[in-house]
Amino acid sequence: MKNNIEDEIKDLFCESLELKEELLANKGFKKRFFNLIEKINFDMMNGEDNFFGLFLIQLKREIRIDIASACESAAQLSNFIIYFNPYIFLKCSALEMQALIKHEIYHIMYNHIKQFKVLSRKYSDVAVNTAFDISINQYIKNLPPWEATLENVKLSYNVNLEYDKLPEYYAEKLQKSINKRISSEGAKITSKNSKGNFTDFDVVYSHNLWNESISKFDYEQIDALTEKLVRNSAKGKLPAKVDEYIKNLNRKAEISWQDYLKRIIGTLPHGYKKTITRRNRRQPERYDLRGQLSNHIIQIVIAIDISGSMSDGEFDSAVLEILSILSKHNYEVTIIECDNRIRRVYRLKSKRDLKKRVETKGGTSFSPVFEYMNKNKMKDHFLIYFTDGMGEKELSVKPQTKKILWVLTGQKSDLSLTPKIGSVKKLKNHVEEEFEIYRDVLFNRGEWANNEWAK
C-alpha cells in the first residue's frame, strides 16, 4: 500500500477523536471512512487476497461504536453485514486492517455464528471469544497487537495449547485455566465496560452481534447465506483448500440426516381434536355432530448412545439443528440416554433444557430404547438414534415405531443390526467427511497452515 493511505488513516483517526460520538451523524466522515475501506478492498482484490476482496465486496457495511472489536459481522435476511468501529479500526495500519477483514471473513466462512450459541452455554464469554479468535488467527499475518494469538494466549493463561484445533478444544482449555485463577485469586475476570461505546478492544464483549443473528435467523438460513458468499467469491486464483471446497460443493451430495428429517416430518401421523366451530365433514347436515381440527404434534425421541464416539459439542449442535427444523411446528421432544441400559430420560422443550450427558463406561445396546418406547406406547413417535452403530446384531424386542432414523457418529462405522431397520445416515455427508476443514464444528487441520492459505 502507498504511504498516502497510511496518512489518510492517521487523519481519519484524529478526526474521529475530535468528533467523538458526533461521528455517527457526520456524513463527510462516513463517506471518507468508507472510501478508505474501498481502497483497502481494491488492494486485496489486486493481490493474492483476491478471494477475500471479492468476499468483502458482497458484505453490507456500516459504522457502530458500540461494538468491542475493530469490526464484527452479523447475519441479515439476505446477506451478512460487517460493522466497523472507527475508534478501534483506525488505530491499525493498512496491512493490519486487511488482516482484521480476513479475520472476520473467516468467522463467517466457518460458521462461528452457528457454533457460538452452543459453546456459550458451556463456557464463559472470555473463554469462548478467545477460543474462536485463536482458532483462526493462527492462519493470519499482520494482526494488530491486541488480537489473541496462540503464543500470547499461552503466556497470558499459562496453558499449553496445540496448533490446529477446534474452537471447543481451546474454550475448554481456557476455561480450566480461568477457573484455576478464580480459585487462587478469588476474583473473576471481568470487564470495565459492560455497555455503551468502545474505544478499545474488549474480548469479553467481542462477537456480541452474533447473539442478534442467532435470535433472528435459523441455522439453515445462515448456512445458505454463507454458501452463497463463498461461491460468489470463488473467482480467479483461490487458496488451495477453498478451491477444493468449491469443486465439491458442485458434486451431488448424499441426502443429509437433516434433510431427511425435514422430508419425513410432513409424513408423521396427524392428531385431531373435536370442535363445535366446524361441521362434521362426513355428515355436514348434522348440526349435533362436532367437526375436527388438526392437532398435529410432532413427537420426537432423540436417543443418544452415551458410550459412543459422539462428542458433547457434536450432540449439542445436532439437537439444536433438530429444534431449528421443528421450530415452525408444534412438537414434543424426549431425550433418552442409553448405553447397555437406559440411564436417563427427560423432556426437551427448548435448548435451555439440554443437559450434560451422563458419564458411563457401559457397552452399547439398542434394545433398551425400543423396550422403553414399546412400554410407554410411543409407536407414533419418530426415533432419531445417534450412535457409532456398534451394538447388538439383533434386537431383543420388535419395535412398534415405524419411523426410525439412525445417525452414525463414527468415521467408518456401520449399523450392526441385521437386517437393518429404518434409515441410516452419517452424522456428516461425504463432502464434509472427505474435507474435514468444513466439519460442522469446524476448521482446523494442519494442512490449512500452508503458505497459500495463511498469507
Side-chain angles (χ1 to χ4, degrees), residues 58-98:
Q58 301 175 75
L59 303 181
K60 295 182 180 179
R61 305 164 194 176
E62 193 51 80
I63 291 176
R64 287 180 68 156
I65 59 176
D66 61 342
I67 58 175
S69 303
C71 49
E72 293 188 22
S73 57
Q76 291 191 323
L77 185 60
S78 59
N79 208 332
F80 283 88
I81 184 167
I82 184 169
Y83 294 98
F84 295 91
N85 185 334
Y87 293 137
I88 307 175
F89 192 74
L90 292 171
K91 292 179 180 179
C92 303
S93 68
L95 287 176
E96 288 172 342
M97 289 178 176
Q98 288 189 10

Side-chain angles (χ1 to χ4, degrees), residues 194-249:
S194 60
K195 58 182 178 180
N197 302 328
F198 293 85
T199 57
D200 294 293
F201 175 77
D202 191 332
V203 68
V204 178
Y205 301 103
S206 62
H207 310 139
N208 271 4
L209 294 184
W210 289 351
N211 280 319
E212 297 179 16
S213 299
I214 294 298
S215 63
K216 292 180 181 178
F217 308 107
D218 61 30
Y219 293 149
E220 185 178 355
Q221 287 176 295
I222 292 175
D223 286 343
L225 286 175
T226 303
E227 182 177 328
K228 173 187 172 184
L229 289 171
V230 173
R231 284 185 181 277
N232 290 344
S233 305
K235 297 176 176 64
K237 184 179 179 180
L238 296 176
K241 293 301 179 181
V242 174
D243 185 49
E244 289 179 356
Y245 174 66
I246 295 298
K247 288 178 180 178
N248 283 276
L249 276 180

Side-chain angles (χ1 to χ4, degrees), residues 35 41 56 176 192 224 258 262 287 325 354 392 408 426 437:
N35 281 341
N41 197 355
L56 178 60
K176 288 180 180 179
K192 296 179 182 179
Q258 297 96 325
K262 292 172 190 175
Y287 290 94
I325 292 170
L354 194 57
E392 65 266 53
L408 301 184
K426 292 282 188 179
I437 54 177

